[in-house]
Amino acid sequence: MSIIETRDLRKAYRLGAVEARALNGVSISVERGEMVSIVGPSGSGKSTLMNIIGCLDAPTSGSYLLEGEETSGWGDGRLAGARNRKIGFVFQTYNLLPRLTALGNVELALLYGDRRNARERSLRALDAVGLSHRSRHRPGELSGGEQQRVAIARALVKSPTIVLADEPTGALDSRSSAEIMAILQRLNREEGLTVALVTHEREIAEHTRRIISVRDGLIVGDERVRSPRTARTAEAEG
Ligand code: ADP
């Protein structure tokens, strides 16, 4: 059973009399434990696709099965519930709250879910991204790469089924980008976490085993990468 399966997914936005068609029939499936990137030029529909996969938005037509469950027809409440339990989000701009510590930001993700052992689980999530020693720091006292690691810990703390990352390295220098990719690769390899990331950088996409290309709201490529880049290689290349 695929963890993500879409069939003929379409999404149109109405802007007054004009209709913008963001997705024009996207059918993909992603297996549990895969790490995939979604690439394509700006405006090709990547974010729209990620938003639907992340239960942030519903398609105009077509079907989306999340862990085998048909989601089309779900209302906002049900989408929010699935999103909260199953999806961890990582954004380009980290989206951390500046007044909370790293630990506070991670714990906040547990506000609406299972709050048992929240402190301990949050510390464990920070440890998983190598940041336990920064748990008391606020975002402003951390580098961009460290902030993104806090954001990954925040995504992980709920033990999601899938981590969705929208341009997770978009605001980072190449060294921090390599670190973030190394962490995502390790979580995928060692914890079996399913990871889907959007990127416009070919080099970042080559860190995943599969690259799905989107253009004009359609899948135009789906390639297997025989030997994905590792962060070590990226660092050695400077
Ligand atoms: P990408 O992430 O690849 O840049 P998007 O999914 O953001 O692409 O956008 C795909 C198309 O849908 C674009 O033409 C964009 O202008 C349009 N679009 C996206 N979101 C909206 C929205 N909320 N309202 C109207 N049009 C939108």
Side-chain angles (χ1 to χ4, degrees):
M1 180 189 72
S2 304
I3 196 163
I4 293 168
E5 181 163 2
T6 76
R7 296 188 197 132
D8 200 27
L9 216 54
R10 291 166 194 270
K11 179 75 182 181
Y13 296 102
R14 192 164 287 285
L15 302 162
V18 190
E19 197 181 59
R21 291 195 290 170
L23 296 179
N24 292 309
V26 168
S27 304
I28 52 166
S29 50
V30 174
E31 301 305 311
R32 191 178 296 277
E34 268 196 273
M35 180 161 173
V36 307
S37 23
I38 299 170
V39 300
S42 171
S44 57
K46 304 183 297 294
S47 302
T48 302
L49 180 59
M50 287 290 260
N51 287 347
I52 294 171
I53 291 173
C55 296
L56 285 163
D57 203 357
T60 308
S61 69
S63 111
Y64 168 36
L65 288 90
L66 172 58
E67 293 191 291
E69 255 195 293
E70 178 59 67
T71 68
S72 48
W74 284 7
D76 289 346
R78 203 143 173 219
L79 284 172
R83 182 165 74 234
N84 203 23
R85 281 193 317 278
K86 298 179 191 239
I87 319 277
F89 292 96
V90 177
F91 305 96
Q92 175 171 356
T93 51
Y94 329 130
N95 296 8
L96 301 176
L97 292 182
R99 300 184 63 129
L100 294 182
T101 62
L103 183 61
N105 269 283
V106 176
E107 271 191 276
L108 193 63
L110 297 171
L111 194 58
Y112 299 112
D114 174 6
R115 306 201 54 190
R116 276 172 296 177
N117 309 320
R119 174 66 45 96
E120 188 190 321
R121 284 156 65 205
S122 302
L123 281 168
R124 223 180 305 135
L126 280 172
D127 194 38
V129 298
L131 271 190
S132 0
H133 63 299
R134 293 275 191 268
S135 66
R136 299 283 164 200
H137 290 241
R138 290 187 185 180
E141 300 160 345
L142 299 171
S143 70
E146 287 172 331
Q147 290 182 63
Q148 193 59 299
R149 281 150 71 188
V150 174
I152 293 174
R154 179 185 56 191
L156 288 178
V157 73
K158 291 186 297 179
S159 308
T161 322
I162 308 168
V163 164
L164 297 180
D166 198 347
E167 297 278 4
T169 62
L172 299 174
D173 60 38
S174 57
R175 203 184 143 175
S176 303
S177 296
E179 262 171 34
I180 294 302
M181 292 313 295
I183 288 171
L184 293 175
Q185 284 179 328
R186 180 169 50 73
L187 292 167
N188 170 254
R189 194 177 55 239
E190 293 175 10
E191 316 286 334
L193 191 69
T194 307
V195 179
L197 64 97
V198 162
T199 180
H200 65 273
E201 287 177 84
R202 180 77 201 177
E203 197 180 315
I204 293 296
E206 285 170 354
H207 285 76
T208 68
R209 285 198 174 275
R210 181 176 174 195
I211 304 179
I212 296 170
S213 307
V214 182
R215 199 173 192 106
D216 299 328
L218 288 167
I219 305 286
V220 294
D222 190 343
E223 44 176 311
R224 303 281 159 178
V225 181
R226 203 167 290 166
S227 37
R229 280 173 185 267
T230 60
R232 198 158 9 104
T233 317
E235 265 174 6
E237 284 169 2

